[in-house]
Amino acid sequence: MMFSFVIVAGGKGSRMGGEKKQFMNLCGRELWRWSAETAAKTPGVREIVLVIPEGENLNPSWPHDIPLIITHGGSERAVSVLNGLNAASCSYVLVHDAARPFATQKLFLALMDTVTENAGAVPVLPVADALKRIDGENITCVNRDGLYITQTPQVFHRLRLIDAVRDNPLAKDEAEAWTNAGGILRKVDGERMNFKITWQEDMTTARALTEQKITRTGLGYDVHRLVPGRKLILGGVNIPSPLGLLGHSDADLLTHAIMDAVLGAAGLDDIGTIFPASDERYRGADSIELLREVMRLVEADGWTVEFVDAVVIAQVPKLNAYREAIKNNLGKFFAVNIKFKSAENLDDAGRGLSMTCHAAATLGRHGE
Ligand code: MG
């Protein structure tokens, strides 16, 4: 048996706010391409017929062995389907909706194995949710026993389907036209992943399922002198101490190291370049405000800060009592862990002359 694979992509996208979903980008491929390419690799499928909206022009690259035939639809679904069926040439036809990108080759083969000249085949799934019928204010419960939802592709003898659709132009799907015309229908198990992208939220779900996630890690380091008469601010928290950190800004070295880690993961310049000490605007700057700007910069590039870990190395003062307050303050921006280490009286930090900080940030982004 030879099969044509007809993809109906003639919709106007009225439930997508007017955007034609069949041409929307899903992980670098227009929506219609997903099922077209699955079908092109399916044994027994000899041609793909793509039905595009009236007035639309499409000249897509098509690197597959079998032909891609493009034809135009009409104002009604039945017209689009008929145009597709007439542009096809095989004895049997799978009619698929472009808005179902995740139908698998396994499903196509099961349908192709089930269809006969007299019996069409459709994928079905039992209804999982409880059902209600709503008529104005009146809500009644509907027994879902024996109720199934129908998916595509639906497969039929092509010439018989042409007659059935022509005689039943108002049918909701090809199966309804087929049974109205007296045809037999068989079922195969549908696939939950073969959901139909109808609303904007469905597209969001589809993107979450397909788009690759890139994860990157950045490293940040900072050191400041510890001197009398300066405030000690770590992670935006003011810590009572006779010694504070010396610097052009508020010298919040924890927030500085974290900003460099975040910027580093995003492949951006460091804070010394973005907020130069030579710029008077940053004298005494609140580093938490600078962090807000850093977050804006990385988020503008599509990044999400997934986790930050940092270690502050200080001999004096003891900082553990402020750990929760610092975590809570930085936790407004991202998930964060903070640790403190003494310097074992060894180097400048160990002698109480300085404080150092190391930070690592993990950022994630969806993309190619
Ligand atoms: Mg600094």
Side-chain angles (χ1 to χ4, degrees):
M1 282 159 88
M2 303 298 168
F3 291 83
S4 303
F5 194 95
V6 173
I7 300 173
V8 184
K12 290 185 283 291
S14 45
R15 283 178 291 191
M16 275 280 175
E19 192 169 1
K20 292 194 180 78
K21 62 188 172 188
Q22 59 274 39
F23 302 120
M24 284 171 82
N25 185 310
L26 178 61
C27 200
R29 284 194 286 173
E30 290 170 301
L31 203 56
W32 65 267
R33 237 178 220 287
W34 283 74
S35 45
E37 293 190 341
T38 307
K41 294 172 196 153
T42 302
V45 173
R46 292 304 159 98
E47 63 187 7
I48 311 289
V49 177
L50 179 65
V51 186
I52 63 173
E54 274 178 306
E56 196 80 35
N57 259 322
L58 196 67
N59 192 12
S61 64
W62 183 252
H64 303 281
D65 291 337
I66 66 167
L68 172 69
I69 299 157
I70 294 178
T71 186
H72 286 92
S75 52
E76 305 301 325
R77 179 184 164 86
V79 176
S80 297
V81 171
L82 279 174
N83 289 356
L85 295 174
N86 283 316
S89 60
C90 297
S91 301
Y92 290 86
V93 63
L94 296 113
V95 182
H96 190 52
D97 192 331
R100 295 184 188 269
F102 302 129
T104 66
Q105 189 182 96
K106 182 170 167 239
L107 179 62
F108 299 169
L109 291 170
L111 290 159
M112 291 157 73
D113 211 36
T114 305
V115 69
T116 65
E117 190 172 337
N118 298 316
V122 296
V124 296
L125 282 173
V127 172
D129 300 319
L131 297 176
K132 305 287 174 282
R133 182 182 302 281
I134 299 182
D135 182 11
E137 294 297 297
N138 191 27
I139 303 178
T140 49
C141 295
V142 176
N143 183 353
R144 70 174 180 220
D145 290 352
L147 290 185
Y148 288 75
I149 59 167
T150 322
Q151 301 182 324
T152 72
Q154 304 185 351
V155 56
F156 306 93
H157 186 272
R158 186 174 62 89
L159 294 178
R160 289 189 168 207
L161 183 62
I162 288 174
D163 289 340
V165 173
R166 191 177 288 140
D167 293 346
N168 296 275
L170 299 178
K172 291 285 181 236
D173 65 358
E174 289 61 70
E176 185 180 334
W178 181 261
T179 53
N180 282 353
I184 301 165
L185 209 53
R186 292 185 179 146
K187 68 175 171 68
V188 306
D189 290 337
E191 298 172 334
R192 292 276 168 208
M193 280 292 287
N194 183 23
F195 63 88
K196 185 176 178 180
I197 296 178
T198 307
W199 310 98
Q200 205 57 257
E201 297 96 300
D202 302 325
M203 200 63 192
T204 305
T205 304
R207 290 198 167 121
L209 288 165
T210 54
E211 289 188 344
Q212 278 185 323
K213 189 142 180 234
I214 304 164
T215 299
R216 283 203 197 143
T217 301
L219 185 67
Y221 167 79
D222 201 13
V223 56
H224 281 257
R225 286 179 191 279
L226 205 50
V227 297
R230 283 275 301 185
K231 281 184 179 171
L232 176 59
I233 297 170
L234 291 177
V237 174
N238 207 334
I239 295 167
S241 162
L243 300 173
L245 295 169
L246 185 64
H248 182 68
S249 67
D250 63 0
D252 180 344
L253 94 166
L254 171 59
T255 304
H256 293 180
I258 288 173
M259 285 193 283
D260 268 347
V262 168
L263 290 164
L268 296 173
D269 285 337
D270 66 4
I271 53 169
T273 310
I274 296 174
F275 312 116
S278 58
D279 190 330
E280 279 305 306
R281 277 182 301 169
Y282 302 119
R283 180 174 294 281
D286 176 353
S287 296
I288 293 295
E289 288 308 313
L290 303 183
L291 176 59
R292 218 180 295 285
E293 173 63 12
V294 164
M295 295 298 286
R296 198 191 60 72
L297 287 172
V298 299
E299 284 167 4
D301 275 358
W303 295 103
T304 301
V305 179
E306 299 191 336
F307 192 71
V308 168
D309 190 25
V311 55
V312 175
I313 299 154
Q315 196 70 39
V316 287
K318 291 290 173 219
L319 296 167
N320 259 326
Y322 303 96
R323 186 163 178 257
E324 282 311 304
I326 293 169
K327 275 176 69 174
N328 288 340
N329 205 38
L330 293 171
K332 293 170 192 162
F333 293 93
F334 31 63
V336 62
N337 187 39
I338 306 293
K339 303 177 301 285
F340 300 112
K341 269 264 186 272
S342 90
E344 294 285 344
N345 299 308
L346 285 170
D347 51 13
D348 286 346
R351 286 189 283 278
L353 299 172
S354 67
M355 218 180 253
T356 56
C357 180
H358 300 267
T362 304
L363 273 58
R365 179 168 80 175
H366 287 293
E368 291 287 284

PDB file of all heavy atoms in Angstrom, residues 222 224 253 256, ligand 1:
ATOM      1  N   ASP A 222      36.788  38.509  44.522  1.00  0.00           N
ATOM      2  CA  ASP A 222      37.030  39.899  44.922  1.00  0.00           C
ATOM      3  C   ASP A 222      37.857  39.924  46.201  1.00  0.00           C
ATOM      4  O   ASP A 222      37.833  38.974  46.994  1.00  0.00           O
ATOM      5  CB  ASP A 222      35.710  40.650  45.131  1.00  0.00           C
ATOM      6  CG  ASP A 222      35.907  42.170  45.032  1.00  0.00           C
ATOM      7  OD1 ASP A 222      36.983  42.612  44.561  1.00  0.00           O
ATOM      8  OD2 ASP A 222      34.982  42.906  45.423  1.00  0.00           O
ATOM      9  N   HIS A 224      39.105  43.041  49.205  1.00  0.00           N
ATOM     10  CA  HIS A 224      39.121  44.436  49.678  1.00  0.00           C
ATOM     11  C   HIS A 224      39.903  44.511  50.982  1.00  0.00           C
ATOM     12  O   HIS A 224      39.917  43.552  51.761  1.00  0.00           O
ATOM     13  CB  HIS A 224      37.691  44.937  49.928  1.00  0.00           C
ATOM     14  CG  HIS A 224      36.977  45.328  48.670  1.00  0.00           C
ATOM     15  ND1 HIS A 224      36.788  46.640  48.283  1.00  0.00           N
ATOM     16  CD2 HIS A 224      36.402  44.575  47.702  1.00  0.00           C
ATOM     17  CE1 HIS A 224      36.125  46.674  47.136  1.00  0.00           C
ATOM     18  NE2 HIS A 224      35.878  45.428  46.760  1.00  0.00           N
ATOM     19  N   LEU A 253      32.066  43.103  48.959  1.00  0.00           N
ATOM     20  CA  LEU A 253      32.850  42.190  48.116  1.00  0.00           C
ATOM     21  C   LEU A 253      32.098  40.904  47.777  1.00  0.00           C
ATOM     22  O   LEU A 253      32.351  40.301  46.736  1.00  0.00           O
ATOM     23  CB  LEU A 253      34.231  41.908  48.732  1.00  0.00           C
ATOM     24  CG  LEU A 253      34.463  40.683  49.612  1.00  0.00           C
ATOM     25  CD1 LEU A 253      35.937  40.459  49.788  1.00  0.00           C
ATOM     26  CD2 LEU A 253      33.758  40.812  50.934  1.00  0.00           C
ATOM     27  N   HIS A 256      30.016  41.827  44.884  1.00  0.00           N
ATOM     28  CA  HIS A 256      30.921  42.046  43.741  1.00  0.00           C
ATOM     29  C   HIS A 256      31.351  40.722  43.114  1.00  0.00           C
ATOM     30  O   HIS A 256      31.308  40.553  41.888  1.00  0.00           O
ATOM     31  CB  HIS A 256      32.170  42.830  44.166  1.00  0.00           C
ATOM     32  CG  HIS A 256      31.877  44.242  44.577  1.00  0.00           C
ATOM     33  ND1 HIS A 256      32.850  45.113  44.998  1.00  0.00           N
ATOM     34  CD2 HIS A 256      30.699  44.929  44.630  1.00  0.00           C
ATOM     35  CE1 HIS A 256      32.301  46.280  45.303  1.00  0.00           C
ATOM     36  NE2 HIS A 256      30.995  46.195  45.087  1.00  0.00           N
TER      37      HIS A 256
HETATM   38 MG    MG B   1      35.068  44.881  44.856  1.00  0.00          MG
END
